[in-house]
Amino acid sequence: ISSPTLFQYLSDVFCDNEYGPNFLFVNNGDGTFTDVAQQAGVEDPMQHGRGVTLADFNRDGKMDIVYGNWNGPHRLYLQLGNNRKHRFKDIASQKFSMPSPVRTVIAADFDNDNELEVFFNNIAYRGSSSNRLFRVTRREHGDPQIEELNVGEAAEPEGRGTGAAVTDFDGDGRLDLLISHGESAAQPLSIYRVNQGSTNSWLRVIPRTQYGAYARGAKVVVYTKRSGPHTRIIDGGSGYLCEMEPVAHFGLGKDIATNVEVYWPDGKSIARPLEPSEINSVLEIRYPREEEEGTPEIEIECGQGFAMNENGRCTDKDECTQFPSVCPTDRPVCTNTYGSHKCRANKRCNQGFEPNDDGSACVGEWAYPGPRYVCFLRLQSFQRVIVTFSKLLFSSLHPCTCMTYCLHWLCTVS
């Protein structure tokens, strides 16, 4: 799947692979790409990836990766860090990660309640295998909460699912689910309508290229009064053997959308306020002319924790700098977050480690290594044993900065 995963508008490429590690090719901006999957923690080398999609589950402005592994643990990789270090951690719950013969994975707001759902489409090729649905709810100072939902008739326990997609067939503002079947048995297409969310507000945005085509690879951000920014990507084909609609669908719940920003893959962008009459509608946004890229004439309302910059774009306020005494004395270290801030204890860590989010422990710090290091614990018998530490952010392929927890490492360059 190709999208601006790590940066504002440049398109990166993520591949979840079979019989080998995943790839995360970061766009260097000069026509070349560098695979950073190992450093970012998304290699998953022992699994066999199927459907994959991207979404911003915690609304921090960074794209997260969710995909299914064929009869293996499914992943929800939340993106951490900043522009200097790109790291992901798997926050999938036990139920979410439960192995299945998965085909397609879809992230969408089916009931327009302001939170995203994840749909797993399975193929019942050796006995029953129901499709599953999870809600991923943002939490202010913690990882998103994952809750399994009743998917109703769309469970299809005997369905030979080969793919799925969403769109609004009847124009009521709620996404409908289309599931295809086949491969191991002939079955008809299924179309499902969502029952919940009929009173929730919504907005659908279609960005266009300079030639009027659908703007694949564009990023669309809608700012709201209460729940902050919501980000969608117009991707060229998530899921598995599927192509999603080129529309950014936003469920707003009872919130009010104030403005929309669109970033095209070539760096062009546009921002404009939203009128009340545009809510609950389909909004097309054309590629900007040069004079349209400047500061909008009308002031834009960005919502709590954000402010309009000199270019007319909403940017994050730095509460830590603006309010130096915002944190209590027992947690004096202030870390600015997207639209808010966090306070943590003043934890000191050895070289190669950094404090976790609340300052209660030190965790391994990733670095971008030049050569690829393979590290093994040096035992008395010199037996080479791969070791995994659940509390650290690395495994045996981490560069050799681990000294305190890991005792002595025997490192070789591959």
Side-chain angles (χ1 to χ4, degrees), residues 112-383:
N112 291 336
D113 69 343
N114 229 346
E115 303 291 351
L116 289 168
E117 287 84 44
V118 175
F119 176 75
F120 288 106
N121 169 226
N122 296 315
I123 180 169
Y125 77 114
R126 289 182 180 173
S128 300
S129 186
S130 297
N131 301 326
R132 306 177 73 201
L133 183 68
F134 295 84
R135 177 181 289 125
V136 184
T137 305
R138 178 187 181 271
R139 291 191 288 191
E140 183 66 30
H141 295 298
D143 295 336
Q145 179 180 341
I146 301 174
E147 171 192 7
E148 186 168 12
L149 304 177
N150 182 0
V151 73
E153 294 178 356
E156 294 189 345
E158 304 302 327
R160 306 298 178 96
T162 55
V166 293
T167 190
D168 183 7
F169 280 110
D170 53 7
D172 66 351
R174 284 179 291 172
L175 292 173
D176 305 303
L177 175 64
L178 170 69
I179 303 177
S180 63
H181 309 87
E183 186 174 306
S184 56
Q187 291 179 339
L189 292 170
S190 301
I191 299 178
Y192 295 99
R193 176 182 295 168
V194 177
N195 296 322
Q196 294 80 17
S198 60
T199 62
N200 290 333
S201 299
W202 52 274
L203 179 69
R204 287 168 63 77
V205 180
I206 304 176
R208 299 281 186 173
T209 69
Q210 63 190 104
Y211 304 107
Y214 296 121
R216 302 285 186 183
K219 175 188 288 187
V220 183
V221 184
V222 167
Y223 287 82
T224 62
K225 284 192 174 182
R226 294 191 295 272
S227 58
H230 298 254
T231 304
R232 304 287 189 267
I233 300 296
I234 309 297
D235 69 73
S238 58
Y240 176 77
L241 303 177
C242 299
E243 183 173 331
M244 299 298 145
E245 63 171 357
V247 183
H249 179 93
F250 297 89
L252 300 173
K254 307 305 177 187
D255 207 347
I256 299 172
T258 57
N259 71 288
V260 60
E261 296 178 358
V262 178
Y263 296 86
W264 280 264
D266 62 358
K268 294 281 189 179
S269 67
I270 195 170
R272 75 168 187 80
L274 290 167
E275 300 295 333
S277 60
E278 293 176 318
I279 305 304
N280 297 334
S281 71
V282 180
L283 182 65
E284 294 210 17
I285 297 187
R286 65 185 183 185
Y287 186 83
R289 297 189 294 269
E290 192 168 330
E291 63 272 14
E292 294 176 318
E293 275 209 287
T295 304
E297 296 180 2
I298 304 174
E299 186 172 349
I300 288 176
E301 185 178 354
C302 297
Q304 185 176 357
F306 297 86
M308 189 172 73
N309 64 15
E310 64 277 6
N311 298 319
R313 307 294 183 265
C314 290
T315 56
D316 174 41
K317 290 181 182 178
D318 189 345
E319 288 88 352
C320 298
T321 302
Q322 195 171 359
F323 308 105
S325 302
V326 69
C327 289
T329 55
D330 61 327
R331 292 179 291 122
V333 180
C334 182
T335 302
N336 189 58
T337 62
Y338 199 61
S340 186
H341 68 282
K342 290 182 179 179
C343 299
R344 66 169 175 82
N346 190 15
K347 182 76 174 178
R348 295 182 179 274
C349 299
N350 292 334
Q351 184 178 3
F353 295 83
E354 62 184 0
N356 61 1
D357 286 347
D358 61 6
S360 61
C362 295
V363 294
E365 182 180 19
W366 284 104
Y368 276 26
R372 176 184 175 114
Y373 291 91
V374 182
C375 303
F376 301 93
L377 187 62
R378 188 195 298 270
L379 303 179
Q380 261 189 329
S381 62
F382 297 99
Q383 182 182 4

